[in-house]
């Protein structure tokens, strides 16, 4: 098994999403008896904004296509994903490679791959809550991965900015879920 481990939090050791992706990758490796892990840290090694010339370099796309499982740390910044992670997605959504347009509409070509996303959000965005309309992280990632044929799995740590107790409880709950994901 080849796991592609992607992080995009700017918060280093304090990051909740990084702690959760680390735990997911560890649990997957224990369950699988090893496997290769490729780490792509989009903060220590950021990808530039997309340009037309950038399409000539398919290394980021190839790395994604070669992975069986992709584990992504996705903190919420300003109600959506970090621009570092968007720059990565801009290399992944490529017509003819991960999706194509047919007479019946768009068709995803990247199915068969497992994508697990560790969400970390300062607030709560449950359906029906006052902030639900501002949730453009989980909904966006569900949409773009669905577009290329993948139904992502999510582990969420929410309410992290509410206070220290809530933060500790949310991270503990999310870390607990990582065992279930690897089972
Ligand atoms: C620049 C920045 C913008 C943020 N914007 C939001 C936001 O719009 N909504 C929210 O719920 N939390 C927001 N937060 C809080 C983060 O989602 C929260 O701190 C989370 O823990 C980030 O993940 P991390 O710990 O992996 O870095 C923001 C944090 C930062 C640093």
């Amino acid at each position: 098994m080849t796991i592609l481990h992607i992080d995009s939090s700017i918060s280093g050791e304090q990051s909740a999403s990084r702690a959760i992706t680390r735990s997911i990758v560890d649990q997957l490796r224990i369950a699988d008896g090893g496997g290769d892990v490729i780490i792509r840290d989009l903060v220590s090694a950021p990808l530039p904004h997309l340009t037309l010339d950038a399409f000539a370099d398919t290394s980021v796309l190839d790395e994604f296509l070669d992975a069986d499982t992709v584990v992504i740390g996705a903190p919420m910044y300003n109600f959506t994903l970090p621009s570092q992670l968007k720059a990565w997605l801009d290399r992944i959504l490529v017509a003819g490679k991960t999706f194509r347009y047919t007479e019946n509409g768009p068709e995803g070509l990247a199915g068969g791959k497992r994508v697990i996303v560790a969400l970390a959000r300062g607030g709560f965005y449950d359906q029906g809550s006052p902030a639900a309309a501002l949730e453009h992280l989980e909904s966006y990632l569900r949409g773009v991965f669905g577009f290329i044929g993948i139904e992502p799995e999510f582990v969420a740590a929410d309410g992290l900015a509410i206070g220290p107790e809530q933060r500790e409880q949310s991270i503990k709950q999310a870390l607990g879920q990582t065992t279930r994901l690897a089972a």
Side-chain angles (χ1 to χ4, degrees):
M1 177 173 66
T2 301
I3 301 173
L4 175 58
H5 176 173
I6 296 171
D7 279 314
S8 60
S9 166
I10 60 174
S11 298
E13 283 304 305
Q14 302 305 313
S15 159
S17 62
R18 284 177 183 267
I20 300 165
T21 55
R22 205 179 305 129
S23 176
I24 294 170
V25 171
D26 287 349
Q27 298 289 342
L28 289 172
R29 293 194 74 233
I30 291 167
D32 199 55
D36 297 330
V37 180
I38 294 163
I39 298 175
R40 184 171 277 280
D41 189 324
L42 296 170
V43 175
S44 63
L47 295 167
H49 286 303
L50 189 65
T51 59
L52 275 183
D53 289 345
F55 280 110
D57 177 2
T58 62
S59 55
V60 176
L61 174 63
D62 292 342
E63 186 180 76
F64 170 73
L65 292 174
D66 288 346
D68 306 298
T69 301
V70 184
V71 178
I72 303 172
M76 177 181 269
Y77 292 159
N78 302 315
F79 307 109
T80 188
L81 70 170
S83 53
Q84 290 90 337
L85 186 54
K86 176 63 165 56
W88 180 80
L89 280 168
D90 287 340
R91 270 79 179 176
I92 300 308
L93 274 91
V94 180
K97 295 284 188 182
T98 52
F99 70 92
R100 67 181 169 200
Y101 292 108
T102 72
E103 287 174 358
N104 302 320
E107 183 188 358
L109 301 175
K113 202 180 291 301
R114 191 174 183 197
V115 171
I116 306 172
V117 182
L119 301 170
R121 294 176 284 213
F124 289 103
Y125 296 87
D126 307 279
Q127 275 196 347
S129 70
L134 290 169
E135 207 298 317
H136 302 295
L137 174 62
E138 178 175 352
S139 54
Y140 176 75
L141 292 173
R142 198 181 290 284
V144 290
F145 280 111
F147 188 76
I148 62 172
I150 296 169
E151 189 177 337
E153 299 159 67
F154 291 94
V155 179
D158 286 324
L160 299 178
I162 304 284
E165 279 176 26
Q166 178 66 60
R167 180 181 166 83
E168 192 183 329
Q169 187 191 319
S170 294
I171 294 173
K172 197 171 156 196
Q173 170 273 127
L175 289 173
Q177 282 189 46
T178 64
T179 322
R180 175 187 56 76
L181 275 172

